[in-house]
């Protein structure tokens, strides 16, 4: 996983999460969460609500993978990383 201040593209981070999910035998559940929040966030137009939903989704993913202590910053504070 990335270090505390390292920023990696979303697709690379998702691959790391999927690898962890495979180890825990919860890959299908993780992919379902990704799909759920991808759809929800795609159609949400209110930026504040998008941020709130993204945080909830992040916490669901971390909970599923039993990852504790990770903090997700406000996405607007992050530099844009081209994929």
């Amino acid at each position: 996983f990335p270090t505390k201040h390292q920023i990696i593209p979303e697709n690379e981070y998702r691959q790391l999460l999927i690898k962890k999910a495979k180890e825990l035998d919860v890959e299908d559940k993780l992919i379902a969460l990704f799909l759920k929040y991808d759809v929800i966030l795609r159609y949400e137009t209110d930026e504040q609500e998008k941020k709130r939903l993204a945080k909830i989704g992040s916490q669901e993913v971390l909970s599923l993978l039993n990852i504790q202590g990770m903090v997700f910053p406000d996405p607007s504070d992050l530099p844009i990383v081209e994929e």
Side-chain angles (χ1 to χ4, degrees):
F1 283 94
T3 62
K4 184 176 180 180
H5 298 289
Q6 183 181 9
I7 298 173
I8 63 173
E10 180 179 355
N11 62 336
E12 288 180 33
Y13 190 64
R14 283 187 178 208
Q15 289 304 313
L16 290 172
L17 293 173
I18 289 170
K19 183 178 176 183
K20 173 78 171 172
K22 284 179 182 178
E23 293 171 8
L24 299 172
D25 198 29
V26 292
E27 182 181 8
D28 291 342
K29 290 180 182 181
L30 179 63
I31 291 171
L33 277 176
F34 284 160
L35 291 172
K36 173 184 171 181
Y37 282 97
D38 285 347
V39 169
I40 289 171
L41 294 171
R42 181 178 305 130
Y43 293 106
E44 180 56 59
T45 57
D46 181 82
E47 287 303 313
Q48 292 293 345
E49 185 64 5
K50 267 187 172 181
K51 289 179 184 180
R52 189 184 77 77
L53 291 167
K55 287 179 183 179
I56 292 170
S58 297
Q59 291 305 313
E60 281 192 53
V61 168
L62 295 178
S63 178
L64 175 67
L65 300 179
N66 198 27
I67 299 172
Q68 299 175 2
M70 290 186 74
V71 176
F72 286 86
D74 184 330
S76 63
D77 294 337
L78 296 175
I80 297 173
V81 177
E82 297 294 327
E83 293 191 31

